[in-house]
Amino acid sequence: MRDHGGDLDRAKARFGDGDWLDLSTGINAVPYPLPDLLARAWAALPTRAELAALETVARATYRAGEDTECVALAGAQAAIQLVPRLGIGGEARVVGPTYNEHAGALTAQGWTVTQVGDADGLKGARLGVVVNPNNPDGRFWTPEELIDLARDVGLLVVDESFADPAPEYSIIPFLDSLPEGVLILVLRSFGKFYGLAGLRLGFALGPSALVGEMRRLAGPWAVNGPAIATGCTALADTDWQVQTIARLSRDAVRMDTLAEAAGWSPVGGTVLFRTYETGDALAAQERLAEARIWTRVFPYSAGWLRLGLPGSEPDWARLEGVLQG
């Protein structure tokens, strides 16, 4: 099994039960308020019209052009699982270190996968993957840089799972005007920014042939009724989005201030998570875990520790108490 954040079972097995504060993911800790759902959302199979309405509002929210296709899936993870099955085959390269499911899913489907240190290392690959902004170090590439890169890649997959608070990074508005022969497929997560990861909702956007094949591979009813209804409401709620981005931006600065006072140095991140060089990540994680605060360490770094942002003042007080103690 590949390691991930959100693994509270492992934390409890080692440190015991209790009132855990899980900061090991990049999921917004103040979720979108669930709308009142009609009984039909739970009781009936989703219709094509309902799914089309969700994809229409997603295209508008992500500023997709008229020729960009969109398919709703059961989370960005579902899209990651489908990409290796698109029939291209051959060598894939992934800019890393990054979210490990990209390489894992490709390898499981027989691809030869190489991790490269920067986007330029993708040139010449049949398939290249870049997470923008990247998890966990927050590196990002402009749309112009990605379009130029895609000229030398068979298919460029851009995972924008953490791009909601930074729409200026998104390449989706440029997909309709790509140069001849350039192929870019974009993956989006709903659950991270909207704080509703349990709904399992995400999207893939790009050329009609590729997106249509993903739709075929996903099969009927790839997204459940409650996710469709909630997604339609949340994606159209621009007031909530603006307010949430402002709050997350303030909280990211607050977290950086705490980390600096604790003697940690910033590696990077987004306004949904922050990553720090601690000198000894396992020791820092254990110190916090003793206070029932769970964080994320990485097998490729002895010093990096990633924290999501607390969602309430009592949770901030818990974290501050440990870091200042």
Side-chain angles (χ1 to χ4, degrees), residues 114-269:
T114 302
Q115 179 174 294
V116 297
D118 195 76
D120 282 344
L122 300 180
K123 293 181 179 180
R126 292 289 300 278
L127 186 149
V129 179
V130 59
V131 179
N132 193 44
N134 191 47
N135 170 22
D137 59 20
R139 286 182 293 170
F140 68 91
W141 294 265
T142 67
E144 293 77 14
E145 289 172 326
L146 293 176
I147 292 170
D148 185 61
L149 169 67
R151 297 174 188 269
D152 298 312
V153 179
L155 170 63
L156 180 64
V157 177
V158 183
D159 182 344
E160 294 187 352
S161 288
F162 290 99
D164 291 76
E168 67 273 16
Y169 296 163
S170 179
I171 199 170
I172 294 173
F174 300 85
L175 295 181
D176 272 11
S177 57
L178 294 178
E180 182 82 21
V182 171
L183 286 177
I184 297 178
L185 181 70
V186 183
L187 314 183
R188 295 291 296 233
S189 169
F190 173 84
K192 294 179 177 63
F193 176 65
Y194 293 92
L196 296 171
L199 277 182
R200 308 310 306 135
L201 179 60
F203 302 90
L205 298 97
S208 58
L210 288 177
V211 174
E213 179 64 4
M214 295 181 80
R215 188 186 301 278
R216 186 189 70 81
L217 291 170
W221 313 301
V223 180
N224 65 66
I228 291 174
T230 303
C232 283
T233 300
L235 287 166
D237 193 341
T238 55
D239 288 343
W240 184 90
Q241 294 158 14
V242 169
Q243 293 167 10
T244 298
I245 291 172
R247 175 184 58 80
L248 290 169
S249 299
R250 293 192 300 269
D251 286 351
V253 173
R254 182 176 182 178
M255 181 69 84
D256 286 349
T257 301
L258 279 177
E260 182 180 1
W264 300 345
S265 58
V267 172

Side-chain angles (χ1 to χ4, degrees), residues 92-96 98-99 102-103 106 113-117 122 127-129:
R93 300 179 196 168
V94 180
V95 180
T98 193
Y99 182 54
H102 287 286
L106 287 159
V113 182
T114 302
Q115 179 174 294
V116 297
L122 300 180
L127 186 149
V129 179

